[in-house]
Amino acid sequence: MFSGKVVIDPESCKSCLYCVRTCPKGVLGTTGAVNRKGYQYVCQVKPEDCIGCAMCAVICPEAAITIYK
């Protein structure tokens, strides 16, 4: 089980959903809330399932996701 931390900067997220589609465990999803730019930002919907693969951070074009191990 991954014991690190996934941090998503909601203000940098543009809701492209690349990270949501890339996550092998379905950890990420969107919120009903929007950031200052008007985008529904991504959050962890199942953080307990995260394996720390960092695929979400690698694919994010806005570098809005950071993985701390």
Side-chain angles (χ1 to χ4, degrees), residues 7 9 14 17 21 23-24 26 35 38 40-42 51 58 66:
V7 177
D9 177 9
K14 290 189 177 173
L17 303 181
R21 290 189 284 263
C23 180
N35 62 20
Q40 282 188 323
Y41 52 87
V42 171
I51 58 173
V58 171
T66 306

Side-chain angles (χ1 to χ4, degrees), residues 1 3 11 20-21 37 39-40 54 61:
M1 176 169 258
S3 61
E11 291 304 318
V20 174
R21 290 189 284 263
K37 297 173 187 168
Y39 296 106
Q40 282 188 323

Side-chain angles (χ1 to χ4, degrees), residues 29-54:
T30 57
T31 65
V34 295
N35 62 20
R36 285 183 270 173
K37 297 173 187 168
Y39 296 106
Q40 282 188 323
Y41 52 87
V42 171
C43 69
Q44 294 183 77
V45 293
K46 295 191 292 184
E48 66 279 358
D49 291 346
C50 182
I51 58 173
C53 67

Side-chain angles (χ1 to χ4, degrees), residues 1-31:
M1 176 169 258
F2 177 60
S3 61
K5 184 176 180 182
V6 177
V7 177
I8 302 167
D9 177 9
E11 291 304 318
S12 295
C13 181
K14 290 189 177 173
S15 199
C16 66
L17 303 181
Y18 291 155
C19 59
V20 174
R21 290 189 284 263
T22 301
C23 180
K25 295 294 185 175
V27 172
L28 305 174
T30 57
T31 65

